[in-house]
Amino acid sequence: MRIHRFFIDSSFASKKTLDIENTDTLNQWRNVFRFKAGERVVLFNGSGFDFLCEISVLTKQNAVLSVLSSQKNIVIPKREVWLYSSLIKKDKFEWVVEKGTEIGVSHFVPVISERSEKKNLNLERLKRILVEAAEQSGHAVLPTLHPVVSLKEALETLSVPAIFFDAAGAVFTHSASENTVAVFIGPEGGWSEKEKEIFGEKNIPSLSLGTMTLKSETAALAAASLLLIV
């Protein structure tokens, strides 16, 4: 039988017993999974370890669990990818965060570009989507979800090697020898000429994903996937 895995935002590496109160996870255990005393779950808190636990008590107010064992989690991305993705429609951006988490993106940075369709996001909802994706995919740590920034702000604070994707760029042959890399993905209408000039001034190379015209969310996942496997 599959043992379900859940993220708990708490430090419990040295504890033998955990007491969880009034959290979304507790509600999920009771109302979705319908767990009972004696059942087991795997918990992780971003420390790099998974903890096998047994539920001793489960009520409307709290759950008490015994920590049975811990194990180092080896599901670590090949490299640290910062995904700077232009704001697009809500459901599509949520899809980028969900699937990007599954494949191993380490940082999500929502970017307001000249042709962005949206100017804001529900970051709390995105965080819940991110947590659920990390629970499902088995990652050792949660990726970081950063606040919404303008392209100018993103480039001013950039501290890692970067590339940006554009249909007119050189075809992707990036060896990605760096351990950390940032990738910039434009909105549905693509980067403006002014934005391309800004990338050029920062000496950030332009790459493309071939001759096909991809939607922004597809390009984001395709680019991140390539960076995580090459």
Side-chain angles (χ1 to χ4, degrees):
M1 178 183 293
R2 177 189 174 191
I3 299 179
H4 294 279
R5 186 170 180 267
F6 301 93
F7 174 75
I8 299 295
D9 189 11
S10 175
S11 177
F12 49 80
S14 61
K15 296 180 180 178
K16 296 299 182 183
T17 302
L18 304 177
D19 193 341
I20 300 172
E21 298 181 350
N22 296 323
T23 65
D24 291 338
T25 299
L26 179 58
N27 292 332
Q28 190 180 28
W29 289 357
R30 290 180 52 253
N31 300 320
V32 178
F33 292 97
R34 300 188 183 280
F35 287 151
K36 296 179 176 59
E39 296 193 75
R40 294 183 176 186
V41 294
V42 172
L43 304 182
F44 73 109
N45 61 357
S47 65
F49 285 83
D50 283 353
F51 299 85
L52 177 64
C53 301
E54 183 172 285
I55 299 172
S56 303
V57 176
L58 181 58
T59 70
K60 291 182 179 180
Q61 289 74 37
N62 76 316
V64 179
L65 301 94
S66 299
V67 180
L68 304 179
S69 63
S70 64
Q71 182 175 352
K72 182 72 174 176
N73 187 318
I74 61 172
V75 183
I76 306 291
K78 182 176 181 180
R79 61 177 48 86
E80 185 180 2
V81 171
W82 288 68
L83 181 56
Y84 288 80
S85 186
S86 295
L87 291 185
I88 51 178
K89 292 179 181 178
K90 170 177 167 282
D91 58 336
K92 294 180 179 180
F93 198 92
E94 289 176 354
W95 185 83
V96 169
V97 170
E98 178 184 28
K99 301 307 175 186
T101 298
E102 289 181 17
I103 64 175
V105 172
S106 297
H107 296 266
F108 295 94
V109 188
V111 176
I112 299 175
S113 57
E114 287 190 21
R115 297 171 179 167
S116 290
E117 299 175 58
K118 288 176 61 67
K119 302 299 180 183
N120 55 62
L121 286 173
N122 185 335
L123 293 177
E124 285 303 313
R125 175 174 167 79
L126 282 175
K127 180 65 179 295
R128 290 195 297 271
I129 291 171
L130 179 153
V131 167
E132 290 175 3
E135 289 173 344
Q136 182 272 325
S137 53
H139 287 293
V141 299
L142 293 183
T144 301
L145 178 62
H146 296 264
V148 178
V149 295
S150 67
L151 179 61
K152 179 181 178 182
E153 291 169 328
L155 293 175
E156 285 177 348
T157 58
L158 186 67
S159 60
V160 300
I163 55 179
F164 81 98
F165 279 84
D166 180 68
V171 176
F172 183 91
T173 56
H174 190 60
S175 62
S177 58
E178 302 91 351
N179 291 326
T180 305
V181 61
V183 54
F184 285 79
I185 302 293
E188 291 295 342
W191 301 109
S192 69
E193 292 304 316
K194 180 180 178 181
E195 289 169 333
K196 294 178 188 178
E197 291 175 4
I198 294 173
F199 282 120
E201 292 169 359
K202 297 288 187 179
N203 295 316
I204 297 175
S206 170
L207 297 176
S208 79
L209 291 166
T211 57
M212 295 177 291
T213 301
L214 303 179
K215 290 186 175 182
S216 181
E217 66 271 24
T218 307
L221 266 293
S225 296
L226 291 169
L227 289 165
L228 286 161
I229 63 174
V230 297

